[in-house]
Amino acid sequence: MLTLLELLQSGGTRTVAELAGRLGVEGRTVRRYVDHLIDLDVPVESVRGRYGGYRLAPGYRLPPLMLSDDEALAVLLGLVAGRRAGLTTTQHTANETASAKIRRVLPKHIARRLDTLLESLAFTEQPGEFDAPDAGVLLTLADAVRHRRPVSIRYTDRDGRRSERTLHAYGIVAHSGRWYVTGKDARIGGDRTFRLDRIADARTLPGSFEAPAGPGPTQRVLSGFATAEYRHEVTLRIHGTVEQIRAHLPAGVASLEEHEPAAGEDRATERWMRVELRAERLDWLPPVLASLDRPFVIERPDELRDLVIELADRYASYARRA
């Protein structure tokens, strides 16, 4: 959309075909971007006729970027944090070019102070390596979510199988450095969650749908992680509060069956909770249960029980050493 604005600012009337070619999108996407610009009070005029298209109203100029010291610092730190967290698109250079543009319009004394901060800033963790989504896919899905329109996507699953699906997208969720979209998959008639970096193309379809009642997109994504198909199915009973258990086994890892407290019973008091999760490997669970430091019962699998016993024996042998 910003690229479209830059093209229109260069002057003259641009046809839909010309703009679509420069942006690498379809004509209806150009029209949707124009509608977004108009919603932002940018005076885009529609010119009819054989040589018609779009142009900016005479005399319009993009207002100057005015940022206070605190605002400029917040923007640049946000760009740095987003890049390190993997919350970028496939246009990896966009982060750097955006930072450079902001620096260019800042007063020199502010720019120098911000550069000094960024040069002296260190992080305790290295930036992660994530597969980023395509910006066009991300924006198309966001538009579909906002206007409740079906969208056709070309998706490649983790086994490399490709398929085309029709999705009623409920929302987009950023989690652990990745982008996800959750919604109803028309092919299976049920809710699904898809990684955006595995979507090769997204195209808005005619029609609309009603968003379902119930959990929001974030909870749907986390619940999907907790119930995904993996090698091992684990069932535990843990004695503790919801907060104590969730601190070590969050919603994206495990589902927690919380019974309604009896009359007069405090919800925050400790009691037995049923915990279910799925995992490809079990070796990470015994240390988590040890750090939880709450009474627990392993219902399944027996392999997990053996791993916990081995860990307990190993810790005990370490403790006995002089």
Side-chain angles (χ1 to χ4, degrees), residues 26-47:
E26 296 180 354
R28 57 184 168 187
T29 303
V30 172
R31 297 183 183 92
R32 188 168 68 248
Y33 288 170
V34 168
D35 290 339
H36 289 334
L37 290 175
I38 293 174
D39 290 341
L40 294 172
D41 295 327
V42 177
V44 181
E45 296 180 344
S46 177
V47 180

Side-chain angles (χ1 to χ4, degrees), residues 122-318:
F123 295 87
T124 57
E125 296 182 358
Q126 294 299 316
E129 293 294 331
F130 302 105
D131 295 322
D134 178 80
V137 168
L138 179 61
L139 293 174
T140 299
L141 289 172
D143 184 75
V145 169
R146 179 181 181 184
H147 298 288
R148 301 299 183 205
R149 294 173 180 165
V151 62
S152 174
I153 62 173
R154 286 194 289 115
Y155 189 72
T156 304
D157 65 17
R158 61 182 178 183
D159 296 323
R161 295 188 297 264
R162 298 179 180 179
S163 61
E164 185 162 342
R165 302 164 182 266
T166 298
L167 180 67
H168 293 176
Y170 305 149
I172 297 172
V173 177
H175 174 69
S176 297
R178 297 193 190 280
W179 298 90
Y180 298 89
V181 60
T182 182
K184 181 180 178 180
D185 185 346
R187 189 174 72 174
I188 64 173
D191 289 354
R192 285 289 307 275
T193 294
F194 299 97
R195 272 175 47 177
L196 261 67
D197 59 281
R198 291 177 176 167
I199 298 177
D201 180 61
R203 180 168 45 89
T204 305
L205 300 175
S208 61
F209 65 91
E210 292 293 329
T218 300
Q219 188 58 44
R220 290 177 185 273
V221 170
L222 294 178
S223 298
F225 291 154
T227 57
E229 292 185 3
Y230 288 100
R231 181 180 176 185
H232 300 283
E233 293 187 358
V234 179
T235 305
L236 307 164
R237 295 199 311 274
I238 301 177
H239 191 263
T241 65
V242 174
E243 290 73 18
Q244 288 170 335
I245 298 172
R246 281 293 184 224
H248 298 268
L249 295 168
V253 174
S255 60
L256 179 62
E257 185 176 337
E258 180 185 2
H259 299 285
E260 284 297 321
E265 183 182 7
D266 185 1
R267 182 181 293 273
T269 57
E270 298 174 357
R271 57 187 183 278
W272 288 99
M273 301 283 184
R274 190 179 195 84
V275 179
E276 294 184 348
L277 61 97
R278 291 168 171 80
E280 197 64 29
R281 297 169 51 188
L282 295 174
D283 54 357
W284 61 274
L285 257 176
V288 171
L289 294 175
S291 64
L292 185 61
D293 194 25
R294 304 301 311 161
F296 64 86
V297 175
I298 299 174
E299 295 187 357
R300 63 172 179 171
D302 292 336
E303 183 181 348
L304 176 59
R305 185 178 294 105
D306 295 337
L307 290 174
V308 171
I309 293 173
E310 290 175 7
L311 179 66
D313 291 342
R314 191 160 61 247
Y315 281 178
S317 67
Y318 295 160

